[in-house]
Amino acid sequence: MQTVTVAIADTDAGRRSKLEQSLQEGSGIEVLTDVMSDGDGIPAAHEPEPDKNLVSIEDVVARITQLKPRILFVNLDLSIERECALLEALHRTCPETLVLLLTDKSVQEEQIIQALANGARGCLSHETDPFYFLKAVRVVDRGEIWVTRQMLGKIMDRVLH
């Protein structure tokens, strides 16, 4: 089995650390980290850094271009227009990087569908069992998508209607 490289774009250090730890337990997965001097990892495009404006999409794309992960977890928040712009920029600049969304209960299904339409390859809740993060990495690496059956039904309804 070939090693799958994974990066995580989430400025919540606790969530990022938990996900990194879960992924490192899987064989054949290498978690790429881009630790800056202040201890933050890869910033999510929608999260403010202390005493700074939002991290620019260009900065995130530049860092992902340097790391070249096969799979990139991106935290999806309520700023769907900004997230879609990030997804489009990543798709143009880093087509070999496949994006999986990280969501919480505040994210609406419509936002997830919009993000999937803009290039995301799947989504998982932050609360998902760690086993499924590992499984999602392998499935998406094979070229498949990772969504719930309920979400797949909604996507099919859109395609058919």
Side-chain angles (χ1 to χ4, degrees):
M1 178 182 349
Q2 186 174 350
T3 299
V4 179
T5 54
V6 178
I8 304 163
D10 189 345
T11 57
D12 184 308
R15 279 193 317 229
R16 189 179 59 249
S17 176
K18 182 179 173 185
L19 180 53
E20 285 175 356
Q21 185 177 19
S22 296
L23 292 170
Q24 288 168 344
E25 293 173 5
S27 64
I29 295 177
E30 178 186 356
V31 179
L32 305 174
T33 57
D34 186 13
V35 179
M36 300 181 298
S37 59
D38 63 1
D40 285 338
I42 303 166
H46 60 275
E47 294 284 343
E49 290 184 346
D51 303 319
K52 292 184 181 180
N53 291 332
L54 293 177
V55 176
S56 75
I57 289 171
E58 293 79 18
D59 288 344
V60 174
V61 172
R63 292 172 91 177
I64 297 308
T65 301
Q66 289 174 335
L67 287 174
K68 294 181 173 85
R70 173 69 174 154
I71 307 291
L72 174 64
F73 284 94
V74 174
N75 185 51
L76 179 67
D77 72 354
L78 301 176
S79 173
I80 191 64
E81 291 81 19
R82 186 165 172 81
E83 301 301 339
C84 288
L86 172 63
L87 290 169
E88 290 172 9
L90 284 169
H91 186 69
R92 270 192 323 274
T93 309
C94 312
E96 67 286 347
T97 297
L98 305 172
V99 177
L100 276 166
L101 304 171
L102 296 170
T103 64
D104 61 29
K105 292 176 182 161
S106 67
V107 176
Q108 311 237 334
E109 286 181 347
E110 183 60 36
Q111 293 170 302
I112 295 170
I113 291 172
Q114 191 174 350
L116 291 168
N118 280 280
R121 301 294 297 176
C123 65
L124 294 107
S125 166
H126 288 289
E127 293 85 31
T128 298
D129 184 303
F131 168 79
Y132 291 108
F133 284 104
L134 294 169
K135 191 167 181 171
V137 166
R138 297 198 194 303
V139 165
V140 171
D141 180 51
R142 288 193 310 256
E144 300 174 41
I145 62 166
W146 185 269
V147 294
T148 64
R149 289 180 189 261
Q150 180 182 13
M151 183 65 67
L152 184 56
K154 291 179 188 291
I155 293 168
M156 290 304 297
D157 285 344
R158 285 201 173 195
V159 169
L160 297 173
H161 303 294

